Amino acid sequence: MLPTQRGPVGVRVTSGSAAVAGAAWAWQQPSVLLIEDDEADALLVEELVADCTPGMRLTWVRSLAEAREVLIAATPDCVLLDLHLPDSHGLEGVARVRQHADVAVVVLTGLAEESAGLDAVAAGAQDYLVKGRVEAELFGRAVRYAIQRKLAEQAAAALQAGQLRAEENRRLERGLLPTPLLKETADLEVVARYLPGREQALLGGDFYDVVQTPDGSVHALIGDVSGHGPDEAALGVGLRIAWRTLVVSGATGARRLATLEEILIAERTGEQIFATLTSLELPPDGRSVRVMRAGHPGMLLRSGTGVEWIEVPGGPALGVLPGGAARWPVEDVALPEEAGLVLFTDGLFEGRTGPGRQRLGEQGLLELARSLAGLPAEAFVDELIGSAEALAEDYGGLADDVAVVHLQRQRQPPNE
């Protein structure tokens, strides 16, 4: 019999394999927790462990109460569980072990209660063994197979959870990244792109929308909810849908932003959550644009082969000054003929670049845009995002989500 030592809460620990005691098998040795109150039966298990090749690392406790302390400290690869303990009886023990740890369970039964072993497997155990009827080879195989089955169950559960997250992501995507609501006769070209940041498996809180009203005016929105995760993404969806509803219902000016702020404050998960956004209105004549800015970066104005940075006076981000104290002025900006407007979130210029790990910044983004000024709208947007990402490649790419919307009136053919 192998030497044993006392561990915490009266735990007895048995190490190694009699046949292969060296370190060569150490990396393969699973950790096994035996919960058994009968010392004779525990000694039988220790002998089986001693004869196993490769070996196991066995810890013995006498009750579920002692087992709980061990499971809290570290989860073993497998639990060998007697169904008759001082503090549990029958399938109750399986349920309590599974409550404390997501671990493979092999039940130990007597010869006359083999049906109880089958019931335990149905209740969540991976296998059962009949005491006194198991040889070392079968014992070792049963423990290792139980561990593998548990790992397969965990992998399947993780896959299912990943599929659910992917489905949720697709639902959020449909909410955050809508199809522009434009008339078939609209003379406006819209190019929209979204790029997740390097750390985000799901969409963040960036959102945009474009809607044309019956009078021919085109309204555009781009925004960014602070933080990352499903709560922020869901809040972004709510703000975008609310904005579209306000536009379609005829709400104008700062009333839209005030209503959006009320919704944000009611729906956000903490007082630290805020949202920046820019809202535009392009009248049918295309000669100007009305702009409202709530803590959001400026925009790019493309005309001819040039690009300028436009940043009109604005108000605070939504949620920063709750209680109706915030004000958002409406600013009119004249537009050259066939001008293009480029809205974006700050992830586009906050990537770190160069030896000094400096952010690209607004000026760097403007210079980059000017180098691409001669490109058509779609190529311009794709190259702008691609170039910003390439500059930040040495530091893992763009760290934040990026949304970009390019709006440009189409040239009308001359009347015949």
Side-chain angles (χ1 to χ4, degrees):
M1 185 173 63
L2 291 177
T4 61
Q5 61 184 27
R6 284 288 179 180
V9 292
V11 174
R12 187 160 82 187
V13 180
T14 304
S15 304
S17 164
V20 182
W25 290 104
W27 64 277
Q28 296 184 12
Q29 294 183 352
S31 59
V32 178
L33 174 63
L34 171 63
I35 311 175
E36 171 64 74
D37 65 323
D38 188 291
E39 185 166 359
D41 288 336
L43 291 175
L44 289 175
V45 173
E46 286 184 351
E47 291 175 358
L48 291 172
V49 170
D51 292 337
C52 282
T53 303
M56 302 177 188
R57 291 174 287 118
L58 181 68
T59 300
W60 172 37
V61 297
R62 298 173 182 269
S63 67
L64 279 175
E66 291 182 4
R68 179 177 179 274
E69 299 299 322
V70 176
L71 292 172
I72 290 175
T75 301
D77 296 309
C78 183
V79 169
L80 298 175
L81 175 65
D82 180 31
L83 290 181
H84 303 288
L85 296 169
D87 51 356
S88 76
H89 183 76
L91 299 183
E92 176 192 357
V94 178
R96 288 175 60 182
V97 168
R98 297 183 68 200
Q99 180 182 359
H100 296 316
D102 187 20
V103 62
V105 178
V106 176
V107 166
L108 303 176
T109 71
L111 181 61
E113 53 180 6
E114 189 169 350
S115 61
L118 294 172
D119 292 340
V121 171
Q126 275 60 54
D127 205 345
Y128 73 94
L129 296 172
V130 178
K131 297 178 183 179
R133 298 291 297 270
V134 181
E135 296 180 354
E137 182 180 354
L138 176 59
F139 173 81
R141 187 184 306 139
V143 169
R144 294 178 188 279
Y145 284 2
I147 294 171
Q148 291 301 316
R149 282 193 291 272
K150 187 61 182 181
L151 291 174
E153 289 178 12
Q154 292 170 338
L159 177 60
Q160 183 179 20
Q163 291 172 339
L164 291 174
R165 286 194 296 269
E167 292 174 2
E168 180 64 20
N169 193 39
R170 286 191 289 271
R171 285 193 290 270
L172 290 173
E173 182 179 273
R174 288 194 295 270
L176 290 168
L177 317 179
T179 300
L181 185 60
L182 298 173
K183 299 178 182 178
E184 293 183 2
T185 57
D187 60 348
L188 186 75
E189 180 184 12
V190 178
V191 177
R193 297 288 188 269
Y194 178 87
L195 180 70
R198 66 170 182 259
E199 297 177 354
Q200 276 69 60
L202 298 178
L203 293 174
D206 292 12
F207 56 94
Y208 64 80
D209 204 352
V210 180
V211 175
Q212 187 173 23
T213 48
D215 65 355
S217 297
V218 174
H219 305 258
L221 170 76
I222 195 160
D224 183 3
V225 177
S226 62
H228 298 285
D231 290 338
E232 289 76 10
L235 182 55
V237 172
L239 293 175
R240 186 206 60 82
I241 294 174
W243 178 87
R244 176 176 282 203
T245 302
L246 289 166
V247 170
V248 172
S249 65
T252 60
R255 176 185 167 193
R256 293 180 190 169
L257 270 61
T259 304
L260 292 180
E261 182 173 61
E262 291 177 4
I263 294 171
L264 179 141
I265 292 171
E267 298 292 335
R268 65 185 177 182
T269 56
E271 294 184 358
Q272 75 283 2
I273 301 296
F274 62 90
T276 69
L277 62 83
T278 294
S279 180
L280 304 182
E281 180 181 350
L282 288 160
D285 61 18
R287 296 176 183 175
S288 63
V289 59
R290 297 188 185 98
V291 183
M292 287 185 296
R293 194 170 64 87
H296 204 74
M299 57 186 173
L300 298 175
L301 174 63
R302 300 182 67 201
S303 58
T305 58
V307 181
E308 298 297 331
W309 183 280
I310 302 295
E311 189 165 312
V312 303
L318 304 185
V320 172
L321 294 177
R327 296 290 181 270
W328 300 280
V330 180
E331 300 290 330
D332 288 324
V333 177
L335 296 179
E337 187 176 356
E338 298 181 22
L341 291 170
V342 186
L343 306 175
F344 45 85
T345 53
D346 58 10
L348 186 60
F349 59 81
E350 288 195 338
R352 298 191 179 277
T353 65
R357 293 178 56 87
Q358 300 296 319
R359 295 188 185 277
L360 177 62
E362 297 175 354
Q363 185 59 38
L365 179 62
L366 177 58
E367 293 173 2
L368 187 58
R370 284 174 172 169
S371 71
L372 306 170
L375 296 175
E378 190 165 356
F380 175 85
V381 172
D382 290 337
E383 288 294 327
L384 186 64
I385 297 174
S387 298
E389 188 174 26
L391 288 172
E393 185 176 1
D394 290 343
Y395 302 103
L398 299 174
D400 201 358
D401 302 330
V402 174
V404 179
V405 179
H406 187 295
L407 308 167
Q408 187 168 19
R409 292 282 185 185
Q410 302 271 359
R411 175 179 293 182
Q412 297 297 314
N415 295 326
E416 298 181 358

